[in-house]
Amino acid sequence: MTRLLRVELGRLVARKVVWVTLLAAVAIVLVTLFGVFTQARQIDHARSGADASYQQMVEDNERMIEECKLEEAQERRRSGDPSVDFSCEQMRPPSIEDMYGQMPALTDQYRMLLTGLVYPFAFLALAMGSTAVAAEFSHRTMGTLLTFEPRRTRVFVAKVVAPALAAVPMTVVGMVLVLLGVPAVFRWFHLDDGVPADDWRFLLWMALRVVVVAALAGAFGAAAAFLVKHSGVVIGVLVGYLVLAEGFIGNMFFSVQRFLLGRNIDAFVNDGAQWESWDNCTGFSECVPVKHSITGTHGAVELAVLLAAVALLAWARFRTADVD
């Protein structure tokens, strides 16, 4: 079994899809870091007075205040009422934070990025796993392999576990780039880059859970490809699920939200998730928010059950179906 798994890993590494996936993961992280850098640079420029757009807005606001005061004085003279007040002094330009947002603390920045990056990493791992297995069927090499190794359970396990393992270094590279790149940006712009020791412990566990989700996605994609034998179908079904279940049904029926895939991935990565629904309405416009929460264990169990169910169906089909 170990030898067969090593062979599958070697076949994966030899395929272009693995390296394309790795490059895509690096590109996603670099774009994300560039977004953090751009926001920090805009705020830094605005605070130093070097942002032309913000300075123009401040100057326009000063001109509008002067025009307001002039109109106020004209109205006082016209009406003879010295108490006329246009509230000109209350006109304020947007703050720098209103215009460009506020740079969160480094811990919060890490949490936002890791929570957001788990989805593209999981998608890349799923695409890699499904493509690797589907190619075996489309190129008719699966039948050839079975002539050398007829024990289908061993073949199935090796081909499902190999993408899961291959997803680990891809995601680790992305996590390392995030954990090193964000503080580098903060230090460049002299922002507070301190992280308490307890926060570091949580963030490292969080990064590890992102890696686990990517590994599960790689195994899920491979198992799903055993069912439908085409990576395009796997991705199409995933997109359809996201649109119908996560988007339409999730917004129509609040009770199903705790079972949605995205909600449980979020709960697993963040060790729990909370959200609000507005279905507790006593009148036409009197709705009271209802708070909901699920634990990280709930998310882990649902992800494991989903993977086990798909893997079991795929294994059963592969065991009994004819392979060219």
Side-chain angles (χ1 to χ4, degrees):
M1 185 63 212
T2 304
R3 183 181 61 83
L4 189 58
L5 181 58
R6 285 202 300 267
V7 171
E8 286 301 326
L9 284 173
R11 289 159 62 93
L12 265 178
V13 173
R15 295 174 62 87
K16 290 182 180 178
V17 64
V18 175
W19 300 103
V20 170
T21 303
L22 178 61
L23 291 176
V26 172
I28 290 171
V29 173
L30 292 179
V31 170
T32 302
L33 292 177
F34 180 73
V36 176
F37 176 85
T38 301
Q39 184 185 18
R41 183 180 60 182
Q42 287 177 332
I43 294 176
D44 185 66
H45 281 188
R47 285 174 176 166
S48 64
D51 189 295
S53 299
Y54 184 74
Q55 290 303 312
Q56 183 63 47
M57 189 171 296
V58 172
E59 294 173 2
D60 290 344
N61 185 79
E62 292 175 352
R63 189 183 68 255
M64 292 170 63
I65 291 176
E66 293 176 357
E67 293 175 354
C68 178
K69 289 181 177 179
L70 180 60
E71 293 175 358
E72 182 184 67
Q74 292 174 345
E75 181 62 21
R76 287 176 179 175
R77 287 195 299 271
R78 188 189 66 79
S79 64
D81 183 3
S83 63
V84 172
D85 185 3
F86 285 1
S87 302
C88 302
E89 300 297 338
Q90 296 182 9
M91 299 174 66
R92 296 280 188 277
S95 66
I96 295 173
E97 287 73 18
D98 290 338
M99 190 165 178
Y100 295 116
Q102 187 171 5
M103 291 300 295
L106 184 56
T107 300
D108 296 332
Q109 185 78 74
Y110 272 141
R111 292 191 63 163
M112 287 190 294
L113 293 182
L114 294 181
T115 301
L117 286 173
V118 65
Y119 299 103
F121 286 160
F123 177 79
L124 290 175
L126 182 144
M128 177 181 64
S130 63
T131 301
V133 171
E136 298 273 6
F137 289 101
S138 61
H139 296 159
R140 299 181 184 275
T141 55
M142 185 68 79
T144 304
L145 174 62
L146 292 176
T147 60
F148 294 98
E149 177 51 84
R151 290 171 292 188
R152 295 194 178 192
T153 298
R154 292 164 61 92
V155 173
F156 176 81
V157 172
K159 289 190 175 296
V160 169
V161 173
L165 296 178
V168 172
M170 174 198 75
T171 315
V172 168
V173 169
M175 293 296 98
V176 170
L177 288 175
V178 170
L179 294 176
L180 295 179
V182 175
V185 172
F186 273 54
R187 186 157 298 187
W188 179 270
F189 291 104
H190 307 291
L191 301 172
D192 182 13
D193 61 348
V195 176
D198 290 343
D199 289 353
W200 268 122
R201 192 175 300 112
F202 176 81
L203 290 171
L204 290 176
W205 276 109
M206 191 176 177
L208 178 61
R209 288 192 287 265
V210 173
V211 175
V212 171
V213 171
L216 293 177
F220 182 89
F226 272 102
L227 280 174
V228 298
K229 299 182 180 180
H230 200 291
S231 60
V233 176
V234 175
I235 295 175
V237 170
L238 175 65
V239 173
Y241 165 80
L242 293 177
V243 173
L244 292 179
E246 301 279 331
F248 182 73
I249 297 178
N251 290 323
M252 289 289 293
F253 306 100
F254 294 107
S255 59
V256 305
Q257 288 207 4
R258 62 176 52 250
F259 303 107
L260 295 179
L261 183 59
R263 189 74 71 188
N264 282 276
I265 290 176
D266 183 44
F268 177 65
V269 171
N270 286 285
D271 196 20
Q274 295 180 341
W275 70 97
E276 292 182 347
S277 65
W278 294 82
D279 52 340
N280 184 22
C281 299
T282 57
F284 183 74
S285 60
E286 298 176 355
C287 295
V288 178
V290 180
K291 294 185 178 180
H292 307 273
S293 64
I294 54 176
T295 64
T297 303
H298 183 284
V301 170
E302 178 158 322
L303 295 179
V305 169
L306 177 62
L307 175 60
V310 173
L312 185 61
L313 289 174
W315 171 76
R317 180 176 185 185
F318 183 59
R319 286 266 298 174
T320 57
D322 293 333
V323 178
D324 295 334

